[in-house]
Amino acid sequence: MTATRPEPAPLEGRYIRLEPLTPELLPELARAIRRPEVFAGGYGGGPAGLPQSDEAFAEWGLDYYQFGAGNPYAVRLRGGSADGRLVGTTTLGDFEERLERTHIGWTGYDPSVWSTAVNPEAKLLLLQLAFDSGFGRVKLQADALNARSRAAIARLGATFEGVLRRHRIRADGWGDTAVFSVLVDEWPAVRAGLEARLDAFGGVPVTPRER
C-alpha cells in the first residue's frame, strides 16, 4: 500500500509525551538542548553551529526543524517531580509516501536525561507511528564521528547500512553520515527489544540528573 504522512498529534508513552513542536516552543527547547555537549557530536552542524543565546537558537530553529515539511515533536517527561518538563526534540520527516520511506532525526535531548527511558520510548512511539502509517523503511542517521549517537541507534535494533562520505555540511565544513534503518518486517523484533528496555525501568518516572 502507499504510505500516508500522519497528521501531527500528541503521542503518549509511559515515560514521555511527544507533542507537535511549534515555533513558540523554541525558547523552551533552547533551555533544554542549547548546550555544548549536544552540539559536540554534530547536532545542528556541530560545535561551531551552537547558537550563542536562547534568542539566536529560536531564530536558528525556524530553519533547522522541518516546520511544514515534517512532523517535529517536543519531548516532555511524564510523571514524577519533573512532569511536563521539555527535555528535547525529535522529528518524523523526509516523507516519501510513494516509496514508503521516512526518516526519524533532528533528535536532541538535554544531557540530564541521556541514558534514560526517554530516547528508546521516543523511538518506539515514532517507529510505531511510521509503520502504522504504511511506511516500510525508516532511516536513522548520525554524524559518522558521533560514537555515542551511533551506539544509541544500534542499540535500538536498527541495521547499519554504511557511511555516506562528504554527505552533509557541518558548521565547520563537510562531514560524513552513518546511516541505519529499520524495515517493516524487522519491526516486531525491534519493538519487542524496545519494550523490554522500557520494562527494565520499572515504570519509575524519569528524574533528570543534576546539571
Side-chain angles (χ1 to χ4, degrees):
M1 70 176 186
T2 300
T4 302
R5 174 182 172 177
E7 290 294 324
L11 300 172
E12 298 280 350
R14 284 182 278 177
Y15 303 95
I16 64 169
R17 178 177 188 268
L18 302 183
E19 67 177 55
L21 181 68
T22 64
E24 291 74 22
L25 292 175
L26 290 176
E28 187 177 2
L29 179 62
R31 293 191 287 275
I33 68 170
R34 189 182 66 81
R35 303 183 180 281
E37 311 97 294
V38 175
F39 281 71
Y43 190 78
L50 176 66
Q52 296 304 300
S53 67
D54 289 355
E55 294 75 16
F57 179 97
E59 183 175 349
W60 166 84
L62 292 174
D63 290 326
Y64 184 71
Y65 299 109
Q66 287 208 335
F67 293 113
N71 290 12
Y73 294 90
V75 182
R76 294 192 184 277
L77 298 180
R78 289 194 66 195
S81 60
D83 182 56
R85 178 166 158 183
L86 198 160
V87 294
T89 182
T90 189
T91 293
L92 187 65
D94 287 345
F95 297 109
E96 297 182 79
E97 289 93 335
R98 186 179 66 83
L99 297 175
E100 299 179 356
R101 300 192 300 222
T102 187
H103 171 199
I104 296 175
W106 301 268
T107 303
Y109 302 113
D110 187 323
S112 69
V113 299
W114 287 359
S115 301
T116 67
V118 170
N119 186 54
E121 185 154 65
K123 294 301 191 294
L124 176 66
L125 292 170
L126 289 189
L127 285 166
Q128 186 69 65
L129 177 63
F131 294 124
D132 285 349
S133 300
F135 290 94
R137 179 180 189 274
V138 179
K139 178 178 71 173
L140 304 99
Q141 64 186 38
D143 190 294
L145 299 178
N146 191 338
R148 186 188 63 81
S149 289
R150 290 180 62 168
I153 295 172
R155 283 192 69 204
L156 299 171
T159 296
F160 175 59
E161 296 184 337
V163 173
L164 300 176
R165 299 182 299 163
R166 203 175 188 270
H167 177 245
R168 59 193 290 267
I169 299 176
R170 292 168 48 110
D172 57 1
W174 288 95
D176 301 338
T177 301
V179 179
F180 299 76
S181 68
V182 178
L183 305 184
V184 64
D185 294 341
E186 301 164 345
W187 173 229
V190 171
R191 179 176 56 210
L194 288 171
E195 289 174 341
R197 285 179 62 186
L198 295 172
D199 288 344
F201 289 100
V204 178
V206 174
T207 300
R209 293 181 292 274
E210 292 294 330
R211 293 172 179 168

